[in-house]
């Protein structure tokens, strides 16, 4: 079985939802659509309060190279555009607030038969559909699919590892929408001009692995069985496990001829290019020991977390933590009014756990052994707290993928990742100042 | 509902420093039992009180001297106290042991900033201090098997196998050396019981094998060469089983805080300890060199760590 060096084995906690078929959540009454629903710069709003909008209608356009289109997730009326706390950016960002007035009246994308369309035409549909990486990073997909000509891409890798505990949406998509995934892959292979695509699936999803193998028969798409280990789905680790290639320090997958996409993104690409449907909804897992009725759901972008949790039977009154995403890399939120974004792969709610006070580092070297990037997290933590940022950078601060394996395993309960993230932010800011 | 804002990851392994320390204490217990059997009740008293008083001293320093009111005991003081007890002679008076304990924890550990901050193994700092301050007590050894319940005044004294050999060329039976039926510090004499404890730590994944392997391997290699050159230096098996080598290589040199981080660094560290131990044993004034070689190598750890930094994923060889 394919894998990488390092990593941890957290409890999987997937039994709550892995047998549950994906449901469509009823349409929300009100949506809050961030203008920053992707990596890069926020899109420019094309609507103003009072405007009537239809489902799929463009309400924001890209502002800059790395940016994306934004569509109305419901049919209704724009009430206001206001700043609300953006959980990823960590600061208030403008969001379009739309009140639903009726059922969906769709505005579709102009598209055709992808086998007859040119690469540019397909790319344009993907761009117009506002598709971003649905694995969580929200990097605009059309940018990823148009690497500079000097970077020769030969392999498309699809991330079906889903190594985060709790989350099962990718698992369900692979079981329920394998044909869509296949079509999405074939479309992207055509755009990239590659002959080979590989879907990586962890060994804890043998049913999905076998199902994909069956569906992909006769197509140039392979399925690779990966060891169940966290963070098996991290881009560089996935590429290494499947191709044996190491993305150079500070480099991108395209430097080793690879483009990586998530299975959810494949479905979104198929729906856009084949069905003309822009990205207004996404699949996610709603789970955790505090959720009464955990589910796999299709949810409209902009739906408040509160509505999603209510649809899942609500959460325990003693709930301590609500997380956007999975427990290893997800972001905790303190307001349930926070809306679902294009990169929200799940909502995890946990009951209180016994607090574990931080102890001094005893140099047990666990963090060094588990780091998939071969860094020394204990040292990065130490240098960061002492504000010796330059030294931290020399020791690989910027190479950290923030997977949290070090923090997970630390017997002293040191929050390495927290300090590393902070140090990265400070370093980036001061470096900009120095130039 | 009050939601907490917290940083990822939101899951943690169910493990902590205290569990690590408790495992070390469990691993040392066979050798403690051996010490009680070979050297009598006073040996057991030193071990038990060393662990208890060590932990109490730690709590006292943290809560009252450093003012951390909600300090939770972590067991590291107990480990240091027990290891110090295992490193002294049964002839050491209790008051002297107490002085050593305070010195070990106070200067060996808390003066550097407490748990995890110390450069030198605190128990060895304590032992070195006792050896210099009370050389007579520390190098007078009792004959083992003198009885489980005899008072220290009644037992007979003798030299350690290493001293006997160095001064008189006498070799003790390997079987006695292996099970620990010889003179020496409380916990160092039985290779068998120390190995049993170390095996437990290995199975619990609390320790890596690199330091013991390279340390013991180096001693074996070094003493083999020396033996071939001149049998007067003693054969390799004798060097492996006598003195504090097993205790040092299995439990003292492997202290996480004062040894290198990476496997490569740990191998270098072990080789260094081995070379120094043999150099002191063969050419030095002391019959034994384990504790001083480990202390010396402790000082080199930052340097070793710096030059054995692992290559970052995707980093190109220069």
């Amino acid at each position: 079985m394919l894998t990488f060096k390092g990593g941890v084995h957290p409890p999987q906690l997937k039994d709550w939802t892995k047998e549950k078929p994906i449901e469509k959540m009823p349409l929300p009454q009100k949506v809050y659509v961030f203008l920053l629903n992707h990596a890069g710069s926020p899109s420019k709003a094309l609507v103003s309060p009072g405007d009537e909008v239809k489902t799929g209608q463009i309400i924001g356009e890209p502002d800059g190279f790395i940016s994306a289109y934004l569509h109305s997730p419901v049919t209704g009326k724009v009430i206001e555009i206001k700043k609300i706390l953006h959980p990823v950016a960590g600061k208030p960002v403008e969001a379009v607030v739309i009140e639903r007035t009726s059922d969906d009246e769709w505005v579709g994308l102009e598209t055709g038969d992808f086998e007859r369309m040119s690469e540019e035409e397909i790319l344009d549909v993907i761009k117009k559909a506002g598709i971003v990486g649905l694995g969580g990073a929200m990097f605009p997909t059309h940018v990823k699919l148009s690497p500079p000509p000097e970077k020769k891409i030969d392999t498309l890798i699809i991330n079906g590892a889903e190594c985060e505990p709790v989350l099962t949406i990718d698992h369900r998509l692979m079981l329920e929408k394998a044909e869509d995934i296949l079509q999405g892959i074939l479309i992207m292979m055509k755009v990239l001009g590659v002959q080979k695509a590989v879907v990586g699936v962890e060994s804890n999803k043998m049913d999905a692995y076998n199902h994909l193998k069956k569906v992909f028969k006769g197509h140039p798409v392979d399925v690779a069985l990966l060891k169940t280990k966290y963070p098996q789905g991290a881009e560089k680790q996935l590429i290494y496990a499947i191709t044996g290639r190491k993305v150079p320090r500070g480099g991108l997958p395209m430097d080793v001829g690879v483009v990586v996409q998530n299975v959810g993104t494949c479905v979104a690409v198929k729906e856009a290019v084949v069905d003309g449907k822009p990205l207004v909804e996404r699949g996610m897992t709603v789970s955790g020991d505090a959720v009464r009725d955990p589910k796999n759901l299709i949810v409209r972008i902009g739906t408040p977390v509160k509505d999603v949790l209510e649809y899942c039977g609500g959460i325990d009154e003693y709930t301590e933590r609500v997380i956007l995403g999975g427990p290893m890399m997800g972001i905790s939120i303190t307001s349930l009014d926070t809306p679902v974004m294009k990169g929200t792969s799940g909502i995890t709610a946990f009951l209180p756990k016994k607090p574990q006070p931080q102890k001094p580092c005893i140099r047990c070297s666990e963090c060094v052994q588990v780091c998939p990037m071969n860094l020394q997290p204990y040292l990065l933590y130490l240098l960061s707290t002492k504000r010796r940022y330059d030294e931290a950078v020399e020791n690989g601060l910027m190479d950290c993928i923030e997977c949290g394996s070090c923090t997970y395993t630390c017997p002293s309960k040191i929050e390495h990742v927290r300090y590393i993230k902070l140090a990265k932010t400070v370093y980036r800011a001061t470096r900009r100042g120095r130039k | 509902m009050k939601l907490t804002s917290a940083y990822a990851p939101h899951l943690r392994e169910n493990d902590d420093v205290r569990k690590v320390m408790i495992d070390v204490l469990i691993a040392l217990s066979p050798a403690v039992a051996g010490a009680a059997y070979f050297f009598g009740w006073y040996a057991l008293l030193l071990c038990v009180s060393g662990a208890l008083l060590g932990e109490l001293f730690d709590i006292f320093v943290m809560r009252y001297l450093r003012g951390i009111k909600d300090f939770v005991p972590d067991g590291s003081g107990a480990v240091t106290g027990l290891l110090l007890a295992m490193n002294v002679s049964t002839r050491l008076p209790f008051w002297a042991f107490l002085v050593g304990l305070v010195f070990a924890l106070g200067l060996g550990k808390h003066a550097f900033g407490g748990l995890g901050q110390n450069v030198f193994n605190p128990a060895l700092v304590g032992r070195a201090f006792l050896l210099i301050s009370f050389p007579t007590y520390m190098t007078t050894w009792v004959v083992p098997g003198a009885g489980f319940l005899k008072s220290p005044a009644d037992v007979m004294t003798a030299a350690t196998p290493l001293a006997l050999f160095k001064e008189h060329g006498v070799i003790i039976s390997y079987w006695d050396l292996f099970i620990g039926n010889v003179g020496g510090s409380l916990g160092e004499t039985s290779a068998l019981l120390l190995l049993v404890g170390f095996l437990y730590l290995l199975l619990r994944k609390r320790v890596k094998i690199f330091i013991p392997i390279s340390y013991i391997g180096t001693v074996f290699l070094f003493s083999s060469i020396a033996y071939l050159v001149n049998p007067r230096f003693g054969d390799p098996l004798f060097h492996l089983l006598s003195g504090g080598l097993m205790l040092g290589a299995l439990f003292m040199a492997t202290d996480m805080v004062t040894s290198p981080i990476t496997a490569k660094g740990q191998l270098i560290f072990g080789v260094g300890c081995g070379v120094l131990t043999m150099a002191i044993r063969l050419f030095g004034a002391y019959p034994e060199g384990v504790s001083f070689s480990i202390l010396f190598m402790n000082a080199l750890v930052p340097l070793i760590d710096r030059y054995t930094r692992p290559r970052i994923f995707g980093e190109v060889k220069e």
Side-chain angles (χ1 to χ4, degrees), chain A residues 67-95:
Chain A
S67 191
Y69 278 100
L70 198 60
H71 307 77
S72 175
V74 292
T75 300
K77 196 171 165 183
V78 177
I79 315 172
E80 57 178 332
I81 297 178
K82 67 166 180 181
K83 284 197 165 185
I84 46 179
L85 182 67
H86 192 288
V88 180
K91 60 184 181 195
V93 170
E94 285 193 324

Side-chain angles (χ1 to χ4, degrees), chain B residues 87-111:
Chain B
N87 267 296
V88 301
S89 158
T90 341
R91 297 295 282 182
L92 187 72
F94 198 72
W95 61 266
F97 176 67
L98 283 182
V99 173
L101 187 63
V102 169
F103 193 89
L105 283 166
L107 244 85
K109 180 172 157 186
H110 287 290

Side-chain angles (χ1 to χ4, degrees), chain A residues 262-332:
Chain A
N262 161 274
V263 286
T265 314
C266 299
V267 176
V269 165
K270 181 262 167 187
E271 288 180 343
V273 178
V274 176
D275 312 329
K277 187 181 142 195
L279 184 68
V280 295
E281 58 188 13
R282 67 155 298 148
M284 67 176 65
T285 302
V286 186
S287 186
D289 57 6
V291 178
R292 296 224 169 81
D293 185 13
K295 289 176 192 298
N296 291 301
L297 285 180
I298 302 274
V299 178
R300 289 288 157 96
I301 308 301
T303 307
V305 166
K306 188 165 47 184
D307 295 8
V308 182
L309 289 173
E310 259 163 39
Y311 182 68
C312 296
I315 50 173
D316 194 281
E317 60 175 314
Y318 296 109
T319 302
E320 184 191 56
R321 240 176 245 202
V322 174
I323 301 151
L324 292 188
M328 292 302 282
M329 286 188 80
I331 299 161
S332 75

Side-chain angles (χ1 to χ4, degrees), chain B residues 17-27 74-75 79 200-201:
Chain B
V17 173
R18 192 200 301 226
K19 286 182 187 163
V20 176
M21 296 301 168
I22 288 175
D23 271 342
V24 176
L25 292 176
I26 292 173
D74 50 37
V79 170
Y200 171 79
L201 276 192

Side-chain angles (χ1 to χ4, degrees), chain A residues 66-143:
Chain A
I66 300 177
S67 191
Y69 278 100
L70 198 60
H71 307 77
S72 175
V74 292
T75 300
K77 196 171 165 183
V78 177
I79 315 172
E80 57 178 332
I81 297 178
K82 67 166 180 181
K83 284 197 165 185
I84 46 179
L85 182 67
H86 192 288
V88 180
K91 60 184 181 195
V93 170
E94 285 193 324
V96 182
V97 186
I98 305 169
E99 194 163 60
R100 189 168 67 90
T101 51
S102 74
D103 283 347
D104 283 336
E105 286 173 45
W106 280 91
V107 178
L109 297 162
E110 267 180 57
T111 181
D113 177 2
F114 80 87
E115 282 175 27
R116 288 195 206 139
M117 289 161 76
S118 72
E119 286 78 27
E120 286 74 30
E121 285 170 329
I122 298 176
L123 260 182
D124 193 54
V125 176
I126 291 172
K127 183 176 178 182
K128 289 274 167 56
I131 299 175
V132 303
L134 300 187
M138 301 198 281
F139 193 82
T141 302
H142 68 275
V143 182

Side-chain angles (χ1 to χ4, degrees), chain A residues 320 327 332 359 363 408 413, chain B residues 4 6 10 13 15 72 259 305:
Chain A
E320 184 191 56
S332 75
K359 287 273 181 184
R363 293 169 47 91
Y408 171 78
K413 311 297 167 198
Chain B
T4 28
H10 306 280
E13 202 164 58
D15 193 13
V72 188
S259 63
D305 272 344

